[in-house]
Amino acid sequence: MTDEQATATDGLRGVFSGRLLTAAEDMAPFLTDWRGQWRGAARAVAQPDTAADVAAVVRWCAANGAPVVPQGGNTGLSGGATPDAGGRAVVVSLARMNRVRALDTLNNTITVEAGCVLKAVQAAAAEAGRYFPLSLASEGSCTIGGALSTNAGGVAVLRYGNARELCLGLEVVTPAGEVWDGLRGLRKDNTGYDLRDLFIGAEGTLGVVTAAVMKLFPAPAARLVAFVAVPSPDAALRLLDLAQNRLGPGLTAFELVSELCLELVLKRFEDARDPFAARSPWYVLVEATDLISEARAREALEALLAEAFEAELIADGTVAASLAQARALWALRENISEAQAAEGKNIKHDVAVPISRIGAFIEEAQAALARAFPGVRPVVFGHLGDGNLHFNVSPPAGQPHEAFAKLRAEVNTVVHDLVAAFGGSISAEHGLGVLRRDEAARYKAPVEIALMRAIKQAIDPHGLMNPGKVLAP
Ligand SMILES: Cc1cc2nc3c(=O)[nH]c(=O)nc-3n(C[C@H](O)[C@H](O)[C@H](O)COP(=O)(O)OP(=O)(O)OC[C@H]3O[C@@H](n4cnc5c(N)ncnc54)[C@H](O)[C@@H]3O)c2cc1C
């Protein structure tokens, strides 16, 4: 930081009541992402207490030409919350804005500040006898503001929708340092352009989300989990169709797991158990919930599996008999990323294609990768019910992972070209940040990029908000 910047940063202390960090060791955790993949620099980290504080910080940044980098739990996977290396930015951490402002059981809404950790929102809802369904493996650290800004998905999108669909209203500090109070808990509001939807998924490039009204739901009385062996992704798709017809809204999760994924988890985690005697090329985790009773949920799920078995959609299946067993089955799905990471570097893709085309996509992508990079091992799993696959690629067995990681761009091109050909998306739930920014520009139509730039220019004409994220400067 130059002397001039240091003097100017001193002025920032006086404009708001929260905490200001300027010492290198205090700022360090805010200047890199949780995996240490991106590193940046900043002149300060501001931790405001109120929306008015955030507005004051943003006004100060505008007056002093300091870019604003909003940050929640810093668990994002696309580098969106890390400042660039220039050292001019102020990171605005929402961590201290973590209050539940209101909970209305008749309106079925909860109004929370942006820094509320997802798990705390779930707990507040449960305490009031309601259910808040947004659920991700990072829920113990990620915040509502971050989840909304990346339009996070997770494991219950099939039934309840992603973060966008769960949000009714927002409070946002604009790049001009004004507070927009859009905290309306309305299910219907057709009064012009939907500003809320602009800020959701904007990854902090249009403003700082300071609070949100989120939907609540009745708390399920029972949650049952089955793990089944299926011969192919197409059989899994037909099982999905059957499950949707038999369970209706009781179907809350439908997750695909490949044989290699299960193998990696069993190798890495000592307490993981293979549910079946014989291996299968594919597996599906099915979660069913019921508002009335466990008996009803069990009856419906077992009837579904019997019918699927009869139709030869599944070769084997098990329904968890206890909460501990249900957790163990979920762990087989949720520990895949960690098990794969333990093997060494791999090349990750978070893609979406129309659900009906998932089987064909997996087949073609595997074949295209085998042609271009003989021996590579696709590690395929994901939210099949949402058309969202984590299509990760590990090097051929025995080959060094570091060398393989250098092929990232080429591997990405093979997978993402095919995603585009299937009418899909190269980022289903992790956002663009800096990781996928330039690739997105390649796959989106020029008119789409031009409209995005026009929106950015209209709302943030000086390019103050999280520059370099989502759109190239
Ligand atoms: C183990 C693990 C599992 C995950 N699983 C999933 C998953 O299943 N589904 C899924 O969708 N994602 C998943 N993620 C990634 C996911 O994006 C984040 O966990 C979460 O949504 C980000 O929240 P955060 O508070 O950590 O945001 P951060 O990482 O702090 O920020 C993410 C982006 O949002 C912006 N931002 C943050 N807060 C605000 C705010 N208040 N106003 C404006 N902009 C803001 C930042 O500038 C950045 O661009 C996972 C991550 C991890 C580490």
Side-chain angles (χ1 to χ4, degrees):
M1 199 190 311
T2 62
D3 287 350
E4 201 183 326
Q5 279 176 344
T7 314
T9 304
D10 282 344
L12 177 55
R13 282 186 199 281
V15 305
F16 76 111
S17 64
R19 192 158 55 160
L20 187 73
L21 311 175
T22 51
E25 63 273 23
D26 294 338
M27 291 198 292
F30 302 88
L31 304 182
T32 182
D33 64 303
W34 75 287
R35 290 187 295 186
Q37 213 169 333
W38 292 277
R39 279 177 207 290
R43 55 168 85 181
V45 175
Q47 292 193 314
D49 286 327
T50 63
D53 271 355
V54 175
V57 172
V58 170
R59 282 197 300 273
W60 183 92
C61 288
N64 289 275
V68 175
V69 180
Q71 194 175 98
N74 202 9
T75 67
L77 298 172
S78 305
T82 309
D84 65 18
R88 288 171 50 243
V90 171
V91 174
V92 177
S93 157
L94 281 296
R96 283 160 66 102
M97 290 188 59
N98 59 3
R99 286 163 289 254
V100 174
R101 288 196 193 161
L103 194 151
D104 182 342
T105 50
L106 276 183
N107 200 39
N108 268 317
T109 48
I110 186 167
T111 306
V112 293
E113 292 184 340
C116 268
V117 169
L118 200 48
K119 212 167 187 167
V121 182
Q122 295 165 352
E127 209 171 297
R130 293 292 184 272
Y131 179 57
F132 180 64
L134 191 62
S135 176
L136 333 169
S138 56
E139 64 197 21
S141 311
C142 76
T143 62
I144 280 289
L148 284 166
S149 299
T150 56
N151 187 23
V155 293
V157 174
L158 179 62
R159 162 70 179 89
Y160 297 100
N162 47 27
R164 182 187 302 283
E165 287 160 279
L166 295 171
C167 180
L168 292 175
L170 287 182
E171 178 186 82
V172 177
V173 169
T174 70
E178 291 169 320
V179 180
W180 170 54
D181 179 354
L183 288 175
R184 295 187 279 266
L186 304 175
R187 260 83 181 169
K188 290 188 167 182
D189 178 13
N190 283 347
T191 52
Y193 303 143
D194 196 330
L195 299 179
R196 173 196 59 194
D197 270 354
L198 271 184
F199 291 108
I200 296 175
E203 300 180 54
T205 60
L206 298 178
V208 185
V209 174
T210 48
V213 186
M214 306 299 292
K215 290 183 195 168
L216 297 178
F217 295 84
R223 184 180 301 282
L224 284 188
V225 179
F227 204 79
V228 300
V230 294
S232 63
D234 275 332
L237 276 182
R238 281 185 287 137
L239 177 63
L240 172 66
D241 186 44
L242 188 66
Q244 283 176 319
N245 279 293
R246 295 294 179 265
L247 304 178
L251 179 65
T252 45
F254 197 94
E255 301 282 311
L256 185 72
V257 173
S258 75
E259 182 180 12
L260 180 56
C261 294
L262 183 64
E263 214 171 86
L264 292 173
V265 173
L266 295 173
K267 183 172 154 200
R268 167 79 180 159
F269 293 90
E270 269 178 16
D271 54 347
R273 293 277 164 272
D274 190 339
F276 308 118
R279 280 290 166 84
S280 162
W282 296 95
Y283 301 90
V284 169
L285 181 147
V286 184
E287 186 186 81
T289 54
D290 191 89
L291 291 178
I292 311 295
S293 74
E294 181 171 332
R296 263 179 34 141
R298 191 169 291 280
E299 193 182 331
L301 189 55
E302 287 177 352
L304 166 73
L305 298 190
E307 193 177 345
F309 195 72
E310 195 69 14
E312 297 183 357
L313 298 181
I314 64 177
D316 206 347
T318 179
V319 180
S322 65
L323 198 59
Q325 277 183 17
R327 284 207 185 106
L329 292 179
W330 260 118
L332 295 177
R333 158 67 182 87
E334 292 202 317
N335 287 332
I336 296 170
S337 294
E338 193 179 326
Q340 192 186 14
E343 293 275 297
K345 274 192 190 314
N346 59 80
I347 300 174
K348 295 191 190 311
H349 306 98
D350 165 40
V351 304
V353 296
I355 294 170
S356 53
R357 306 191 71 192
I358 278 206
F361 172 78
I362 292 176
E363 205 171 297
E364 287 193 33
Q366 284 179 330
L369 283 169
R371 275 195 305 274
F373 312 98
V376 291
R377 294 168 303 154
V379 177
V380 183
F381 61 101
H383 315 295
L384 188 75
D386 314 330
N388 175 193
L389 289 176
H390 299 306
F391 199 100
N392 299 344
V393 187
S394 279
Q399 260 193 31
H401 286 247
E402 295 291 340
F404 179 65
K406 295 205 174 92
L407 296 175
R408 187 174 308 276
E410 291 91 329
V411 173
N412 286 349
T413 301
V414 170
V415 174
H416 289 161
D417 278 0
L418 207 57
V419 167
F422 272 74
S425 164
I426 64 160
S427 181
E429 54 177 18
H430 296 160
L432 299 179
V434 285
L435 176 70
R436 300 281 181 224
R437 179 192 74 188
D438 298 337
E439 276 178 287
R442 217 172 79 210
Y443 292 109
K444 279 181 180 283
V447 63
E448 206 173 344
I449 295 289
L451 285 170
M452 283 170 64
R453 283 198 181 282
I455 291 167
K456 171 77 175 167
Q457 177 64 26
I459 295 180
D460 182 21
H462 304 299
L464 189 73
M465 296 302 310
N466 216 1
K469 315 295 167 51
V470 179
L471 291 165

